[in-house]
Amino acid sequence: MIRSRIIGTGSYLPQTILTNAELAARVDTSDDWIVERTGIAKRHIAAAGEFTSDLGTAAATAALAAAGLTPQDIDLIIVATATPDQTFPACATVIQHKLGMVHGVAFDVAAVCSGFLYALSVADAMLVSGAHRTALVIGAETFSRILDWEDRATCVLFGDGAGAVVLRAETGAGLASDHGILASRLHSDGRYNDLLYVDGGPGSTGTTGKLRMKGKEVFRHAVTNLASVMTETLAAAGLSAADVAWVVPHQANLRILEGTAKKLGLSMDQVVVTVDQHANTSAASVPLALDTAVRDGRVKPGDLLLLEAMGGGFTWGASAVRW
Ligand code: UT7
């Protein structure tokens, strides 16, 4: 059978860093509150004129280099983003052009913070079907552009960044010991639209709008939904939490990571934590965390990784990946 294997990872963070102390000078907050309630110490902010497609192109270029491939080797690009440069064209086709590609298929998926899991799952299905051979799956966001910088309840939580993986179709034996994506599970429930949303859009207000969130309620759903989809995904792969080497989670809040790990009986030593360094980068956060753990040598061949995310919609999902 065909398995989609991750053969390269890359990421990019904009140069400008915004610390908690700098935020405390702008809104009624403090470094202590942000660190204690979220684990976040700082976030990166895109420069004027630096767009989501620029961040995504930089992450994709790094992932291609890690895989030892060029854009000519890619026949599919899927970009997960809620902050495309423009309403259309898709950010993926902008990145395709910036990579110098005039072949292949490129499109966006919109599932906010779960976007990378959705994009990975779609790319996996397109590779397993035999329609495509080598994909770039990118999560890229500039949430700084949709934040209300006067709302302390949200502006301290997010940052900009991008992460990418190169996914290649390889032959597997159909066993849980195969390398590559072993199982993915996705969910959504639109009843909760009003707990995390942007109060504008091209088809309603004609403006971009700003992010609005009822954080406490989102938090409550996050731990339950994530633990549930992680268990479901492991079972679909014929595995259990005892088989997991690393959880590579969406980086929204350190307390969510701790709560989820506890529910699965996993140690925080097995959880890749980057939320302290770059806050919540929405669809970019899982591939950013993955790239960090791959490059610092934590992830070893044969390790079982459990990727997971939850976000606006609500949407949530997980993938079990053998390195
Ligand atoms: O990626 C998509 C998924 N998103 C998430 O997963 C986010 C989930 N939610 C969270 O991470 C947390 O709920 C927050 C970090 C957003 C908030 O933490 P919390 O412990 O749930 O705090 P809270 O909302 O209950 O607020 C506690 C207090 C409130 O004051 P009162 O009413 O107790 O007087 C808030 O007004 O903290 C206040 N507060 C702040 N204080 C200082 C809210 N934001 C701030 C702030 N600085 N930035």
Side-chain angles (χ1 to χ4, degrees):
M1 68 175 294
I2 297 174
R3 292 283 196 196
S4 309
R5 185 168 181 182
I6 299 175
I7 58 164
T9 65
S11 60
Y12 173 80
L13 289 162
Q15 240 176 0
T16 301
I17 290 174
L18 180 62
T19 64
N20 292 347
E22 288 169 303
L23 271 172
R26 294 192 197 178
V27 288
D28 182 16
T29 189
S30 66
D31 179 48
D32 282 353
W33 191 94
I34 302 171
V35 170
E36 189 186 311
R37 299 294 181 115
T38 72
I40 297 166
K42 58 184 183 173
R43 68 287 294 142
H44 292 248
I45 304 292
E50 188 178 39
F51 302 129
T52 296
S53 64
D54 298 314
L55 277 53
T57 302
T61 302
L64 284 168
L69 299 183
T70 73
Q72 296 317 309
D73 301 310
I74 300 297
D75 58 10
L76 173 66
I77 302 176
I78 307 182
V79 176
T81 187
T83 47
D85 304 3
Q86 296 150 276
T87 302
F88 75 81
C91 197
T93 62
V94 181
I95 292 175
Q96 178 190 31
H97 178 58
K98 287 183 176 173
L99 289 172
M101 288 171 61
V102 290
H103 67 281
V105 176
F107 62 93
D108 291 357
V109 301
V112 207
C113 297
S114 314
F116 183 78
L117 270 300
Y118 271 63
L120 192 68
S121 191
V122 172
D124 178 35
M126 292 176 78
L127 262 54
V128 167
S129 78
H132 295 268
R133 297 286 310 160
T134 315
L136 261 172
V137 183
I138 303 166
E141 303 276 18
T142 46
F143 260 48
S144 64
R145 305 233 158 89
I146 55 165
L147 294 176
D148 174 352
W149 287 100
E150 288 174 7
D151 176 16
R152 69 174 184 174
T154 54
C155 75
V156 304
L157 303 174
F158 297 90
D160 301 335
V165 302
V166 178
L167 213 55
R168 185 166 66 196
E170 293 193 355
T171 305
L175 303 171
S177 55
D178 285 353
H179 295 283
I181 298 175
L182 302 176
S184 299
R185 288 293 181 272
L186 303 175
H187 292 278
S188 62
D189 188 341
R191 281 178 300 171
Y192 300 107
N193 274 331
D194 61 344
L195 296 184
L196 177 50
Y197 65 101
V198 167
D199 63 3
S204 52
T205 58
T207 61
T208 308
K210 298 294 178 201
L211 182 148
R212 306 291 169 203
M213 176 165 71
K214 296 195 175 99
K216 218 176 190 48
E217 278 119 293
V218 177
F219 191 109
R220 214 162 30 81
H221 286 275
V223 176
T224 310
N225 289 347
L226 287 170
S228 161
V229 75
M230 288 160 83
T231 307
E232 181 192 0
T233 303
L234 285 169
L239 296 163
S240 75
D243 299 303
V244 174
W246 295 105
V247 178
V248 186
H250 171 49
Q251 309 282 326
N253 186 320
L254 185 60
R255 290 186 294 136
I256 294 177
L257 307 193
E258 290 167 347
T260 321
K262 194 170 168 196
K263 267 192 185 259
L264 264 85
L266 294 167
S267 149
M268 276 308 283
D269 293 343
Q270 295 171 268
V271 180
V272 179
V273 178
T274 52
V275 66
D276 53 330
Q277 295 302 307
H278 52 67
N280 183 346
T281 56
S282 182
S285 86
V286 170
L288 261 164
L290 177 62
D291 188 48
T292 302
V294 167
R295 283 178 194 265
D296 68 20
R298 262 179 285 180
V299 173
K300 304 261 186 319
D303 279 357
L304 181 72
L305 313 187
L306 190 56
L307 281 50
E308 49 92 330
M310 144 113 193
F314 288 153
T315 55
W316 64 104
S319 284
V321 180
R322 176 85 59 199
W323 205 251

